Amino acid sequence: MSLMRWSNKCKLDLFTMLCVTEHPAPDVPSIGQAYSKNSDSITVEFTEVSGATSYILRAESKTGDFFKESTVSSSPGTMVELQPYTDYVLSVMSVNLGGRSQPSYPTEARTVVTAPNLNTSSPTNGTILVTWDPVKDAVLYTLVIIREGSNTRLKLNTTDTTMKFDDLEPGTTYCIKGTAWDSEGRTGDDITVCQITRPQSPDVTHVQVTPGRALGIAVFWSQVRGANIYFVWTSNGLNCSTENSYCYINPAHCGQNHSVYVIAYNDAGPSSPSQPANYITCGYIIPGNCSVMWDGVPLVEYYMAFIKRDDGVETFCNTSLTTCPFSCMCGYTYLTTVFPYNQAGSSPYGHVRNYTTIPCCPLDVMIKLVSTETLEVMWTPVKGAELYETTAAQTKDVIHCNDTAPVCALSDLSCNTAYSVTVTPCSDLRGCNRTCNDRLFSVCLAAAPCTPEILNMTQTNSSTYRILFTTPNTPNTNYTITATGRYDRQSCQSTNSSCVLTQLPCGSVYEVTAVATTAVGKSLPGFSKTLETGPCCPMSVNVTQVTQAMTNVTWSPSTGARSFITSLTSPRGYAKCHTLDTHCLMGCITCGTNYSVNLEAISSTGQKSECKYRGFSSSACCPTGVKLYRRTNNTLRVYWRSLGPQIYNHTVELYGTGANYTCMAAAGSMYCDIQEETCGDVYTVVAAPVEKYGSKVTFCQPRTYSVPCPGSNAGMGTYHLIPKTTILTH
């Protein structure tokens, strides 16, 4: 597009001379970016053009039902009064005296979502609850909370429409900022609301009875943070409210026991009530002092008040006032009368009034543990008391005893719990003295510790067991584990959840129990569990070889064992037997082999003990293929084949009807020659290896041969078994 420069020139025509000034339209600006920070506006950044005096922003909805133009002086410019989360087509035009330019190339932008409408409340003095209605087109919400006067912020994200903040300070203002997010990850408008938490419960510091014509009470308490007003009420329905830390309540009736409570209020609501403070009207205006009060009469100059105690002690006072203080004691009845005086004398008659003070508090309350769940409380009877109520704060002040006797048993108590016991004296005239629940008159004692229970018993070695148990009491409670057997008792102690029992003999059965001990006393023993140690291993095992392939194993008796599994094991194989006896015949033995000897002792409940013994060596192998030959020089040759390593000498014995012969063959040799004296005899031939230390294998098979004179030979054999014994020790 070609643009004309500014030019001024005068044109002259035939009729008149006119001076015309020409103002061309400015250049077309271009949009850099458009974005939305608020739900009702879009900001457009564009290039400013030379000669433009202002700019026009144009916004159109994509549906065509919205069109708006707004004039701005420079970039950036903001189009307002738009709808939340709506798409708009935006363009910019520059303006001067020559008019407006063509619209820029359009761009699209969408407004952000609105802020959530936060509603806040404080359910308790340590929490703030925030709720809001769902925001259209929002997928996430962000809340930021900050305490007034602090720089610490807590930021939380949620997809819900409610959020609860805990562990806050009572009576403190917190400000909460809320923002919604759309699906494109853009934050919308934000909103900030402030909420104060409910105040903390005030503590009543003093309750004083105020004397005078109209008897009342003055209540004092400690102020709490964030409270605007305090509300005070008594158990008999009287109340007052104030912004101060004290309040007066009247009238009060003389000689009554009541409680007073205080609640603090602020904009969030009330606090929890304070702990009740008990007071007695006319009982003790000042501890140890009472007062007689009366209405004044005309023409009086002074009054004489006479006070007589029920034990005969009498006092009086002379006063021009309408009150007379006197020293009084709890549990007594006082008779009072007042006579007005003037110059003419006294009145002829004075009404006698009696007043009984509240019963005295027991000061020598004693408490002791008589069983694991029972406390016995005893005290000396006090003046003025006709009945005693015994309570414990930990049982929600349930009256355990309501009796005339100065003794009470608190039973069915919780173990490992300290109880603060209060004895409250009562009378028919003055009711109960509730001031006796003060610490001065309460006594405290803990019940017995709770009973531990055994969880598991694990064997760590042949005579040591680790016992695991529960620890239901306070730390540093001492626990004793006791194992009681038929002949002995073992124990261990620990402050943790396990302890180790040592030196438990094999083949024994123990009853194991756990007991907790504190300074108060011992708990009941827990349920016992049976601990059976493994059976004892036999002291000795004997292995006797019966034949070349069979042995007889015997062992000494074993305490605690009912059955045994015996095994002989070698690289060439093994033999095993399971028996109730103390002996076992085992086959599958290989000659010339070293065996390991193992025995497993098993109790009637399945407890096992693994026992190992010194090894056993089977005898050397007997030769096979034994033959008897006659030679030409009247000699006999015995020939055989050896099994296994040829490291043994062999002995050959010939038993005939006419003569017996013996010869020895060196290791490695497989024959032996014998000089025969006569021919035609029948011989029994036994060839056997000679083991270490010269012992001969005695169960090799004998063979019988008939040896005729020169010309023929023959042979046949039979088998006989002779035992060979080896003794092994454990």
Side-chain angles (χ1 to χ4, degrees):
M1 178 184 295
S2 61
L3 302 177
M4 299 179 62
R5 294 184 177 181
W6 289 77
S7 64
N8 295 315
K9 65 180 181 177
C10 292
K11 294 184 179 180
L12 183 65
D13 56 21
L14 297 176
F15 303 100
T16 182
M17 184 174 70
L18 299 174
C19 184
V20 180
T21 302
E22 296 181 355
H23 296 280
D27 291 343
V28 178
S30 61
I31 295 177
Q33 64 172 337
Y35 51 87
S36 174
K37 291 292 187 180
N38 299 305
S39 62
D40 62 348
S41 66
I42 293 178
T43 299
V44 182
E45 294 181 359
F46 53 88
T47 58
E48 298 181 359
V49 298
S50 176
T53 59
S54 63
Y55 301 89
I56 295 176
L57 300 181
R58 176 181 292 173
E60 302 176 72
S61 65
K62 297 181 71 175
T63 59
D65 58 354
F66 177 84
F67 179 88
K68 183 180 180 182
E69 290 185 344
S70 178
T71 302
V72 298
S73 61
S74 61
S75 176
T78 301
M79 178 68 73
V80 296
E81 297 181 356
L82 304 180
Q83 295 299 313
Y85 205 70
T86 303
D87 294 321
Y88 291 93
V89 179
L90 303 158
S91 59
V92 183
M93 294 167 285
S94 57
V95 180
N96 63 12
L97 293 177
R100 62 172 64 178
S101 69
Q102 293 294 320
S104 66
Y105 188 82
T107 187
E108 294 183 3
R110 177 183 292 171
T111 51
V112 295
V113 295
T114 59
N117 185 20
L118 302 182
N119 301 306
T120 60
S121 62
S122 178
T124 66
N125 61 17
T127 60
I128 289 179
L129 179 65
V130 186
T131 61
W132 60 93
D133 294 329
V135 176
K136 184 180 179 181
D137 300 312
V139 297
L140 184 69
Y141 303 95
T142 297
L143 297 183
V144 179
I145 185 171
I146 182 172
R147 180 172 58 85
E148 187 178 46
S150 172
N151 294 324
T152 303
R153 301 170 183 265
L154 174 63
K155 182 177 180 181
L156 297 173
N157 293 328
T158 181
T159 57
D160 296 330
T161 56
T162 181
M163 178 69 70
K164 186 177 181 181
F165 294 96
D166 298 314
D167 300 326
L168 306 181
E169 296 181 10
T172 304
T173 299
Y174 290 85
C175 291
I176 302 154
K177 177 181 177 181
T179 308
W181 296 69
D182 60 21
S183 58
E184 302 171 36
R186 301 181 305 164
T187 58
D189 297 342
D190 60 68
I191 184 174
T192 300
V193 295
C194 294
Q195 172 70 49
I196 190 172
T197 53
R198 295 195 183 200
Q200 189 175 3
S201 299
D203 292 328
V204 179
T205 57
H206 183 58
V207 180
Q208 178 179 337
V209 179
T210 58
R213 286 294 184 91
L215 186 66
I217 61 170
V219 185
F220 301 85
W221 60 87
S222 58
Q223 290 187 316
V224 293
R225 179 179 181 180
N228 299 331
I229 194 170
Y230 299 90
F231 181 76
V232 184
W233 83 96
T234 64
S235 56
N236 61 333
L238 303 178
N239 63 78
C240 63
S241 61
T242 181
E243 297 178 356
N244 301 317
S245 61
Y246 60 91
C247 188
Y248 296 97
I249 296 178
N250 54 58
H253 299 288
C254 189
Q256 293 183 341
N257 298 315
H258 292 295
S259 300
V260 64
Y261 306 82
V262 181
I263 287 181
Y265 281 84
N266 63 13
D267 294 339
S271 69
S272 299
S274 66
Q275 292 295 322
N278 299 319
Y279 67 93
I280 302 174
T281 58
C282 301
Y284 294 103
I285 297 174
I286 299 173
N289 292 325
C290 294
S291 293
V292 180
M293 294 175 287
W294 58 88
D295 294 332
V297 297
L299 305 177
V300 70
E301 294 182 1
Y302 65 94
Y303 300 93
M304 289 291 293
F306 296 91
I307 303 101
K308 186 175 183 179
R309 205 168 65 186
D310 58 6
D311 63 350
V313 176
E314 188 173 1
T315 186
F316 69 92
C317 65
N318 185 337
T319 179
S320 59
L321 304 177
T322 59
T323 180
C324 173
F326 66 94
S327 177
C328 59
M329 298 177 63
C330 59
Y332 284 90
T333 298
Y334 293 85
L335 303 176
T336 63
T337 184
V338 179
F339 294 93
Y341 281 83
N342 60 15
Q343 293 181 358
S346 68
S347 64
Y349 176 75
H351 292 286
V352 178
R353 299 291 180 92
N354 64 342
Y355 172 71
T356 301
T357 55
I358 60 174
C360 299
C361 294
L363 295 177
D364 57 348
V365 179
M366 295 176 293
I367 185 171
K368 65 179 180 178
L369 186 70
V370 294
S371 69
T372 56
E373 297 177 352
T374 302
L375 297 175
E376 184 182 44
V377 187
M378 295 177 292
W379 61 93
T380 302
V382 294
K383 182 74 175 176
E386 300 170 348
L387 193 71
Y388 300 94
E389 292 181 355
T390 307
T391 59
Q394 289 71 21
T395 58
K396 300 181 180 180
D397 290 328
V398 173
I399 298 176
H400 292 268
C401 294
N402 193 358
D403 198 357
T404 57
V407 63
C408 178
L410 279 66
S411 58
D412 195 25
L413 303 179
S414 298
C415 59
N416 193 43
T417 302
Y419 288 88
S420 178
V421 180
T422 300
V423 178
T424 302
C426 302
S427 69
D428 291 338
L429 289 176
R430 287 294 172 256
C432 298
N433 186 354
R434 301 297 178 188
T435 62
C436 296
N437 61 359
D438 187 83
R439 292 182 181 178
L440 179 63
F441 304 106
S442 299
V443 291
C444 185
L445 184 66
C450 296
T451 300
E453 296 297 335
I454 296 174
L455 299 176
N456 191 20
M457 298 182 291
T458 305
Q459 185 176 5
T460 57
N461 59 41
S462 60
S463 62
T464 302
Y465 289 78
R466 179 175 295 276
I467 314 299
L468 299 178
F469 49 88
T470 60
T471 55
N473 300 293
T474 55
N476 298 323
T477 298
N478 189 54
Y479 296 92
T480 301
I481 306 300
T482 303
T484 303
R486 184 176 181 181
Y487 303 107
D488 65 331
R489 174 180 294 181
Q490 303 290 338
S491 65
C492 62
Q493 293 182 341
S494 174
T495 57
N496 300 318
S497 60
S498 68
C499 76
V500 177
L501 291 171
T502 59
Q503 299 180 351
L504 297 182
C506 59
S508 301
V509 177
Y510 291 91
E511 290 294 324
V512 183
T513 57
V515 174
T517 305
T518 62
V520 176
K522 293 183 178 181
S523 71
L524 290 172
F527 294 116
S528 63
K529 288 196 173 183
T530 301
L531 172 63
E532 180 184 356
T533 60
C536 298
C537 289
M539 292 299 296
S540 63
V541 173
N542 299 328
V543 182
T544 302
Q545 190 162 357
V546 179
T547 69
Q548 186 168 281
M550 188 168 60
T551 60
N552 184 32
V553 183
T554 61
W555 52 89
S556 58
S558 169
T559 303
R562 186 178 71 174
S563 63
F564 305 89
I565 296 178
T566 308
S567 61
L568 302 176
T569 306
S570 74
R572 296 185 179 183
Y574 71 94
K576 179 184 291 187
C577 75
H578 191 177
T579 180
L580 298 174
D581 301 322
T582 57
H583 58 85
C584 186
L585 194 61
M586 302 173 64
C588 301
I589 300 300
T590 304
C591 58
T593 303
N594 293 326
Y595 287 88
S596 61
V597 180
N598 298 305
L599 185 143
E600 190 174 43
I602 305 172
S603 70
S604 58
T605 61
Q607 293 286 335
K608 297 180 180 180
S609 294
E610 300 287 343
C611 312
K612 296 183 179 297
Y613 299 90
R614 187 158 53 89
F616 158 74
S617 297
S618 61
S619 63
C621 298
C622 291
T624 61
V626 178
K627 302 292 183 180
L628 180 61
Y629 299 95
R630 174 180 290 281
R631 305 187 69 186
T632 56
N633 55 356
N634 292 329
T635 61
L636 298 176
R637 171 168 288 187
V638 180
Y639 177 82
W640 63 87
R641 292 192 301 271
S642 295
L643 297 177
Q646 299 183 13
I647 59 174
Y648 299 103
N649 297 332
H650 282 74
T651 178
V652 178
E653 296 177 345
L654 275 74
Y655 303 97
T657 57
N660 297 330
Y661 304 98
T662 300
C663 72
M664 294 289 295
S669 176
M670 290 185 294
Y671 65 90
C672 184
D673 293 335
I674 298 173
Q675 185 67 40
E676 184 183 26
E677 296 179 359
T678 59
C679 66
D681 202 348
V682 175
Y683 293 100
T684 297
V685 180
V686 178
V690 179
E691 295 184 308
K692 190 176 182 181
Y693 306 117
S695 61
K696 181 182 69 171
V697 176
T698 59
F699 44 74
C700 291
Q701 303 169 353
R703 294 178 180 272
T704 302
Y705 295 92
S706 176
V707 183
C709 290
S712 65
N713 59 26
M716 59 185 298
T718 60
Y719 295 85
H720 301 277
L721 302 180
I722 302 174
K724 168 185 178 292
T725 300
T726 301
I727 298 177
L728 306 179
T729 58
H730 178 57

